Every structure is written in C-alpha cells, then in structure tokens.
Amino acid sequence: MKIEFSLIVCVYEKEDPLHFAQCIKSILSQTVLPDEWIMVKDGPLGPELDAVLADIRFPKEFKIIALPENVTQGPARAAGVKAASHGLVAVADSDDICLPDRFEKQLEMMNDDPALCLAGGQIAEFSNDPDIAAAARMVPQSHADILRFIKRRNPFNSMTVMFRRDMALKAGNYRRFPCFEDYDLWARMIKNGALCANHPDVLVKARVGAGMYGRRRGLSYIRSEWLMQKQLLDLGFINAAGFAVNAAARIPVRLLPEKGVKAVYDRFARKRFDPAETGK
C-alpha cells in the first residue's frame, strides 16, 4: 500500500533566492514526490523570494501558510505540522539540496517497519559548490545507538527527518526553543516511545553558510545549550552527573571565537566526506 506524506519547508526573508530555488529544484526532482507540499512563509519574504515561490509548479497538493511575522523555525514548523493532511511528515531546509532518492529511501524504511516513528539520514556539508562536499555529519543508525547518542548530542540531522505526525503532536509538536527546536522535539518523541532510525546513506547536501559557527557561540547560545541539557535531565536521558559533564564539555566551547568553535566542530563533530562510506 502506498504511504502518503506531507513535506514542510519554511522560508524567511533572509534566505538567498538562488539557494531557495536550488532547494525547490531538488524537491521537484525526487524519484517519489510528496503527496502534499506545505510552504510556510515565516513572515513577509520580499519580492525576490516571493517570485521564486510563485514560480513553483508542483503537480500535487500545494499549500502556502503565510505567517504575518517571523516567529522562528520551531513555531513555523509547528504550523506546518498542524496543517499537514497526511500521517507522515518530512521536513526540508530552504537552502539545502535533497538527493533525488531521499524520500524514496525514507518511505522504504517506514514501509519495512510500520512501528518506526522517526527516520533521518546522513548529510554531506558544502560551502559554495554542492558537488564539492567538505565534510559529513554521520549519525547513529539503530534505535539503541540513537538512545546512547542523544545523551550527548542531537542524534538526527534535522533537515533529513521524516516522522509520524500523530507522534509529533502527542509529544507537543515543535515549539520555540532557540537553536534546539529539533533536538527538543526528538527527545520528547523518544521519551513518549517513538521508535527511530537513521538511514546509512547521505540523503541531503547541507549548506554551511557564512557565520554558521558564529551563531553557535555567545551568551544566548549558552543559555539555549543550558536549557537543552536541563531538558535532557528532566526527561531522564541524563542524570545530574551527566548534566554536569555535558555542560562542562559544551559550554566553554561557546566562549571561543568563531574560528575556535569551527575547529572544535571539525575535530569532534564532523568527518572528511567519503562517498564510499556514505552511499553517495
């Protein structure tokens, strides 16, 4: 039986129109198209982005949710989940490139295991040319390994996920949680019993824009980091000792200059991209 799914893409005014157009092209080039595409305008976009949006020719159901003001990623995605018509929901970032068989592979995962609630995959990161990947972020594949990994870091590449809508809503949906909207939702879903997995292959080419590491430092990020660790503690993924260890390991990194933050990520959170290891 064919599994129908909705796709949610959120876009806001600071997105580059060319990057947005590349994202759209990658979705239209999928071997299996979404049955419904929900585009969330996170506040007014401006004429260039609106022109890209108006040029989309999607052969199936296409919805636009126009939010009157920018509400940030968590609430914007929550609006998309609420509006979705199908039991499965996929998300994509408006500046990334989905590989042509991304949705096909995830639907196979969901079809092979009807109990699976949350499925992601690997990513290849690039700066300018999508065909030149600088690094890969590899995440654990099995549910057991994900449970171990979530105690330390986000076990999903958030721009690759597909999940069961009812489980996301049962867990409280996306919400405002600066910098950790996705990690927060996955933790709540898993706490509620969601079975999860990651595909071994790269499913998305993720754009590493200028200033990405700069946004992962400073007092505001430290506050979000602290709150996320508190969330893991409250949900029972870590104990007080784990909270202390995570805070001691992570928070000082946010006080480094941008180059220092990048060096830490390159050393501990990324690996050199090798197509032979990632399926693409």
Side-chain angles (χ1 to χ4, degrees):
M1 185 178 72
K2 182 181 182 297
I3 304 176
E4 296 184 330
F5 74 102
S6 302
L7 171 68
I8 298 170
V9 179
C10 300
V11 61
Y12 80 127
E13 63 178 349
K14 293 186 179 180
E15 185 59 84
D16 184 308
L18 175 60
H19 299 167
F20 185 35
Q22 290 174 333
C23 168
I24 291 168
K25 181 180 179 181
S26 76
I27 292 168
L28 293 173
S29 301
Q30 291 293 302
T31 55
V32 177
L33 289 174
D35 299 280
E36 174 185 60
W37 185 348
I38 300 172
M39 184 68 69
V40 181
K41 295 172 60 173
D42 190 6
L45 299 182
E48 288 186 283
L49 286 170
D50 274 331
V52 174
L53 187 57
D55 197 42
I56 295 176
R57 298 293 180 266
F58 186 62
K60 298 185 179 184
E61 184 73 17
F62 187 73
K63 297 178 182 177
I64 296 177
I65 298 176
L67 302 177
E69 61 182 4
N70 178 258
V71 296
T72 72
Q73 181 173 276
R77 282 188 175 170
V81 173
K82 290 177 182 177
S85 303
H86 301 296
L88 278 183
V89 172
V91 299
D93 283 354
S94 59
D95 61 346
D96 291 336
I97 297 174
C98 296
L99 292 183
D101 55 359
R102 174 199 161 177
F103 298 142
E104 180 181 355
K105 287 181 175 179
Q106 289 182 290
L107 288 172
E108 286 177 355
M109 293 174 72
M110 292 291 189
N111 189 57
D112 289 345
D113 187 353
L116 188 62
C117 298
L118 177 57
Q122 317 305 323
I123 61 170
E125 296 180 335
F126 70 96
S127 295
N128 298 309
D129 186 344
D131 294 326
I132 302 177
R137 182 174 189 259
M138 309 302 292
V139 287
Q141 297 174 34
S142 72
H143 183 80
D145 287 342
I146 287 169
L147 285 181
R148 285 188 285 270
F149 198 87
I150 198 172
K151 299 176 182 181
R152 298 178 289 109
R153 290 168 52 202
N154 188 342
F156 292 93
N157 289 309
S158 299
M159 67 289 291
T160 72
V161 295
M162 177 180 284
F163 54 83
R164 300 200 184 274
R165 179 176 179 269
D166 60 343
M167 290 298 291
L169 292 175
K170 180 181 176 182
N173 206 349
Y174 287 98
R175 61 180 179 174
R176 189 184 299 276
F177 201 129
C179 308
F180 293 93
E181 298 94 342
D182 305 283
Y183 196 176
D184 167 55
L185 177 57
W186 314 148
R188 286 183 279 119
M189 288 180 67
I190 293 171
K191 182 65 177 179
N192 277 1
L195 181 68
C196 47
N198 279 305
H199 199 283
D201 291 350
V202 168
L203 301 182
V204 173
K205 295 180 180 180
R207 191 180 304 275
V208 182
M212 184 188 81
Y213 296 103
R215 293 191 295 271
R216 297 186 178 187
R217 61 178 302 277
L219 295 179
S220 61
Y221 199 96
I222 288 174
R223 181 178 183 276
S224 293
E225 185 92 70
W226 182 272
L227 291 174
M228 188 63 228
Q229 294 304 317
K230 181 66 164 52
Q231 172 78 322
L232 294 175
L233 177 64
D234 291 343
L235 291 175
F237 287 106
I238 57 177
N239 56 24
F243 178 92
V245 169
N246 284 354
R250 300 175 69 89
I251 290 176
V253 175
R254 311 306 173 188
L255 299 173
L256 296 173
E258 184 173 351
K259 289 184 178 180
V261 175
K262 182 179 184 303
V264 171
Y265 272 78
D266 289 346
R267 174 66 179 84
F268 297 104
R270 300 295 187 269
K271 62 180 291 185
R272 182 178 294 278
F273 179 67
D274 183 352
E277 293 183 14
T278 58
K280 287 289 179 182

